[in-house]
Amino acid sequence: MKFTILRDRLLAGLNDVMKAVSSKTTIPILTGIKIDVTNEGMTLTGSDADITIQTFIPVEENGEQIMDITQTGSIVLQARMYNEIIRKLPTNEVEIEITNGYATIIRSGKSEFHLIGLDATEYPQLPEIAADRQFTIPTDLLKSVIRETVFAVATSESRPVLTGVNWKVEGDALICVATDSHRLARRKVNLENLPNDITSVVIPGKSLNELNKILEDTNNPVQIVLTNQHVLFKTDDVLFFSRLLEGNYPDTSRLIPEEFKTMITINGKSLLQAIDRASLLAREDRNNVVRFETLENQTVEISSNSPEIGKVEEQIQVESLEGENLKISFSAKYMMEALKAIDGQDVVIEFTGAMRPFILRSVADDAILQLILPVRTY
């Protein structure tokens, strides 16, 4: 195998696949990156057995020559080392050659590295994915769906299925739900041509976070293909495979209250900033709790106190306030993350009492719904 390639293009490809490579893998070859060179271009693959990322670099793109291939072939090179070497090479042209066996030479300018590679046939095969359950979604929409749900997944492994986001299809809507049993985030998206046999899949939160870093902010479509064990996200030059989580995701629809005793419409940004300020004092406490109380003439009071430090109170005008008066306490962190997901719009908050879960949604539509359990404070 022998070829030259532009260093910046190689680095961009490496940056994507490195996100899947873990140093803590039980399969030694997965600490490497697989490089396949054909006459069409180069394919890079990185994997940690749960997530596999593959990216393709063509020989030429938009009339610009990116690679010059003398001889095709494949090799696996130590990922961290290879990435560091390419990053620090002196010129933008890199020549890579494999001599006898797996000895690999990397040349650039006057610098020359010799690396020992591994046999590419030892590298695990990609999961076979038949394209029967698939649909497309614009990239920017997929990124916002991930951002508005993934923060609510559980971080502890005590119930592994809760560390993922549940995707299911109802009619022509894709419904994505994440919960850690203290709060819940739900996002509905109306899409065309959804396969109706996606009853319920659970995609690991970690996979969605990594995918979000790779996707660019464009409205190009991402193709999503589902099997019983894997999901594949496919863009123009990147394939992103993830294992699905096993187990039954709990039915969350019955957690969402239907009737409410208090309804408040308020500017999301000003509420977020007030809770951020109140949480300055609450932060010292382990549980980070702020209090929320409705007052006369369309105001609410946000307060927090910490016995050793002091206390804070702030009143905010609301757009509208209907129903019973209310005092409720909740985690500042959960409330702030929910408000960030709804992102700067006017927010409707609906309460069913001081000890019952309450929901937040945008005034404009109910595509995004956030539910939070209050905290008992006596």
Side-chain angles (χ1 to χ4, degrees):
M1 178 167 105
K2 183 176 180 180
F3 64 92
T4 57
I5 183 168
L6 295 180
R7 176 173 144 259
D8 49 359
R9 285 306 302 269
L10 178 54
L11 261 183
L14 281 174
N15 271 341
D16 286 346
V17 296
M18 283 294 290
K19 292 184 170 60
V21 179
S22 161
S23 51
K24 295 198 272 288
T25 174
T26 49
I27 309 166
I29 199 161
L30 290 186
T31 58
I33 281 179
K34 182 178 171 196
I35 302 164
D36 291 300
V37 175
T38 63
N39 290 322
E40 282 75 54
M42 169 158 90
T43 304
L44 298 168
T45 310
S47 177
D48 66 357
D50 288 341
I51 299 174
T52 303
I53 301 172
Q54 190 173 73
T55 181
F56 179 71
I57 303 170
V59 170
E60 64 171 73
E61 192 174 67
N62 306 333
E64 182 194 12
Q65 181 91 7
I66 297 168
M67 292 180 70
D68 184 13
I69 296 164
T70 315
Q71 192 185 358
T72 61
S74 42
I75 187 87
V76 174
L77 294 176
Q78 174 55 40
R80 299 255 175 280
M81 186 55 69
Y82 181 51
N83 190 36
E84 285 290 309
I85 289 171
I86 300 298
R87 233 184 41 215
K88 295 186 175 172
L89 287 176
T91 71
N92 200 32
E93 190 163 292
V94 182
E95 183 187 335
I96 295 176
E97 181 181 2
I98 296 171
T99 54
N100 48 356
Y102 306 116
T104 306
I105 305 168
I106 301 172
R107 297 188 191 92
S108 173
K110 295 258 190 307
S111 145
E112 183 171 300
F113 285 86
H114 291 252
L115 285 183
I116 298 159
L118 296 165
D119 181 0
T121 55
E122 303 277 316
Y123 200 87
Q125 292 293 318
L126 290 180
E128 287 292 315
I129 289 199
D132 49 350
R133 291 159 64 189
Q134 64 174 3
F135 58 96
T136 56
I137 180 171
T139 309
D140 45 6
L141 179 58
L142 176 59
K143 280 181 76 89
S144 68
V145 167
I146 295 173
R147 187 182 61 80
E148 287 150 8
T149 51
V150 78
F151 65 87
V153 300
T155 48
S156 86
E157 294 282 339
S158 55
R159 285 183 71 190
V161 77
L162 294 186
T163 60
V165 181
N166 178 226
W167 283 24
K168 61 181 181 206
V169 170
E170 286 180 10
D172 53 3
L174 173 69
I175 299 174
C176 308
V177 174
T179 180
D180 60 4
S181 73
H182 300 292
R183 39 113 175 241
L184 175 145
R186 185 185 78 189
R187 177 73 154 91
K188 278 187 184 172
V189 189
N190 288 323
L191 294 170
E192 291 164 9
N193 307 334
L194 278 173
N196 45 19
D197 55 350
I198 304 176
T199 42
S200 173
V201 297
V202 185
I203 304 173
K206 176 179 170 246
S207 303
L208 291 171
N209 277 325
E210 294 302 338
L211 173 66
N212 209 13
K213 291 177 196 165
I214 291 177
L215 294 174
E216 292 169 4
D217 282 315
T218 62
N219 55 3
N220 294 347
V222 177
Q223 199 177 357
I224 300 175
V225 189
L226 286 156
T227 68
N228 293 336
Q229 276 144 351
H230 291 92
V231 58
L232 161 63
F233 297 90
K234 205 168 170 181
T235 65
D236 292 341
D237 46 8
V238 177
L239 299 180
F240 184 103
F241 295 84
S242 169
R243 198 174 51 83
L244 296 173
L245 291 174
E246 291 167 11
N248 294 328
Y249 202 82
D251 175 23
T252 52
S253 55
R254 55 193 173 73
L255 299 175
I256 297 163
E258 295 293 324
E259 14 185 270
F260 306 100
K261 294 180 180 165
T262 313
M263 273 181 68
I264 293 171
T265 308
I266 189 167
N267 178 282
K269 196 172 177 191
S270 58
L271 178 60
L272 174 64
Q273 290 167 344
I275 290 172
D276 196 9
R277 286 188 285 272
S279 73
L280 290 171
L281 295 190
R283 217 163 271 160
E284 301 300 321
D285 261 351
R286 197 171 41 87
N287 50 11
N288 196 351
V289 172
V290 296
R291 288 194 186 78
F292 182 96
E293 185 180 345
T294 57
L295 305 173
E296 299 302 308
N297 48 24
Q298 307 278 358
T299 50
V300 294
E301 182 176 82
I302 315 273
S303 63
S304 168
N305 69 349
S306 165
E308 305 86 59
I309 301 170
K311 64 179 182 174
V312 52
E313 290 164 0
E314 177 169 348
Q315 293 182 4
I316 310 179
Q317 280 299 130
V318 298
E319 315 274 326
S320 76
L321 198 164
E322 299 162 27
E324 303 173 4
N325 278 341
L326 174 89
K327 285 184 185 177
I328 193 165
S329 303
F330 46 74
S331 154
K333 173 178 179 281
Y334 290 174
M335 189 67 163
M336 281 156 60
E337 288 180 342
L339 287 165
K340 280 177 190 158
I342 297 173
D343 195 28
Q345 307 155 12
D346 279 0
V347 178
V348 180
I349 313 177
E350 297 171 314
F351 300 93
T352 40
M355 279 296 111
R356 312 274 310 142
F358 59 92
I359 68 170
L360 296 90
R361 56 185 175 78
S362 160
V363 172
D365 56 29
D366 61 350
I368 308 173
L369 179 135
Q370 303 286 335
L371 176 138
I372 298 176
L373 269 70
V375 178
R376 286 177 189 273
T377 53
Y378 294 111

